[in-house]
Amino acid sequence: DHEVTFECYVKNKGSTSVVWMRDNTFIAFDGKVVQPDANFHMDTDFKEKFNLRISKVEPRHKGTYRCQIVSLVAKNLEYNLEILVPPSINRLPSEEVITLREGDSLTVQCLAHGNPKPEVSWIKKGKRLDNVNFDEAKTTLSLENVDESYADTYSCVAKNDVGEPATSEFQILVRRESIFFKRDLLLFLFVCCLIFKCDSSSLFFFS
């Protein structure tokens, strides 16, 4: 867990008020927290020291923080809090092994999260994939009319230089359509047509 403190010291405060704001939301007024967030704390002596402390900093705490003296001539002290988040991945479909038949198509989405926004890349056989169909952000991999050459281990990698890259690995299996199965299916349909006197021309649909 990380903690951050924004310092604000006021000299000759007198009867003026001191407020803390994040963007356009009030956090504290004269040393008392008014925002319903258990992670906001005031370290103050109510005279000169009006420091804002955030315990357990989370991504939702990012923004511009401003200590302001409320007077005819407002005086501000600003801090910008940027939260760096290591990359993480949600992959769809999420199966570790994806089985396809020859001629099938497949779309795999790699939804990467983090701050800064992660860069996504795709790996096959330890080499970067660049000659397949991607969307503009490379978050979606599209494979069409697959054959046995597509069978392998693939990885989606998200990197933003914060912590370690995130990797989601999956395997694609491609099953060949059996010639014998197709021949037996046609024979079965032909026998059915003889029995039920169907139009034999319909067999061409399956050939």
Side-chain angles (χ1 to χ4, degrees):
D1 295 337
H2 297 279
E3 181 176 289
V4 64
T5 297
F6 299 128
E7 294 184 347
C8 183
Y9 290 90
V10 180
K11 292 183 178 180
N12 302 318
K13 175 181 178 296
S15 60
T16 59
S17 296
V18 178
V19 299
W20 272 100
M21 300 181 67
R22 183 186 67 182
D23 299 328
N24 295 316
T25 302
F26 281 100
I27 297 175
F29 182 82
D30 276 347
K32 296 182 180 179
V33 176
V34 296
Q35 178 73 13
D37 188 323
N39 293 322
F40 287 137
H41 310 275
M42 286 299 302
D43 295 333
T44 180
D45 60 7
F46 298 100
K47 296 179 181 179
E48 294 184 353
K49 179 181 177 183
F50 293 87
N51 295 346
L52 173 66
R53 178 169 53 89
I54 307 175
S55 60
K56 298 181 181 180
V57 176
E58 301 174 6
R60 61 188 175 87
H61 291 130
K62 70 176 181 178
T64 299
Y65 290 78
R66 184 168 68 252
C67 178
Q68 181 175 355
I69 299 175
V70 181
S71 62
L72 293 177
V73 181
K75 296 181 180 181
N76 300 308
L77 180 62
E78 289 190 354
Y79 297 90
N80 185 56
L81 180 61
E82 185 74 19
I83 310 296
L84 301 180
V85 181
S88 61
I89 293 174
N90 290 329
R91 177 172 52 82
L92 299 173
S94 59
E95 288 81 5
E96 294 184 0
V97 179
I98 301 174
T99 302
L100 304 173
R101 294 180 300 177
E102 283 189 323
D104 283 351
S105 297
L106 174 67
T107 297
V108 181
Q109 286 186 301
C110 183
L111 305 178
H113 309 278
N115 187 41
K117 185 177 180 179
E119 175 186 342
V120 176
S121 60
W122 295 84
I123 307 295
K124 177 187 177 184
K125 292 183 179 179
K127 296 182 180 181
R128 185 168 178 148
L129 280 173
D130 291 314
N131 58 344
V132 294
N133 294 326
F134 296 111
D135 64 354
E136 185 175 351
K138 288 194 174 181
T139 58
T140 301
L141 170 68
S142 298
L143 304 177
E144 298 178 356
N145 195 27
V146 302
D147 56 32
E148 288 183 314
S149 67
Y150 288 80
D152 215 308
T153 299
Y154 294 73
S155 297
C156 166
V157 181
K159 181 180 179 181
N160 67 356
D161 295 326
V162 180
E164 295 296 323
T167 301
S168 180
E169 187 176 277
F170 60 99
Q171 185 177 9
I172 292 180
L173 302 178
V174 180
R175 300 190 182 279
R176 294 186 60 185
E177 184 178 358
S178 171
I179 297 176
F180 298 102
F181 174 79
K182 187 173 182 180
R183 183 195 63 185
D184 293 343
L185 176 61
L186 288 173
L187 180 60
F188 172 77
L189 293 174
F190 179 73
V191 172
C192 288
C193 280
L194 290 178
I195 295 174
F196 297 103
K197 298 180 180 181
C198 66
D199 183 0
S200 60
S201 64
S202 62
L203 288 176
F204 287 103
F205 177 78
F206 298 96
S207 60

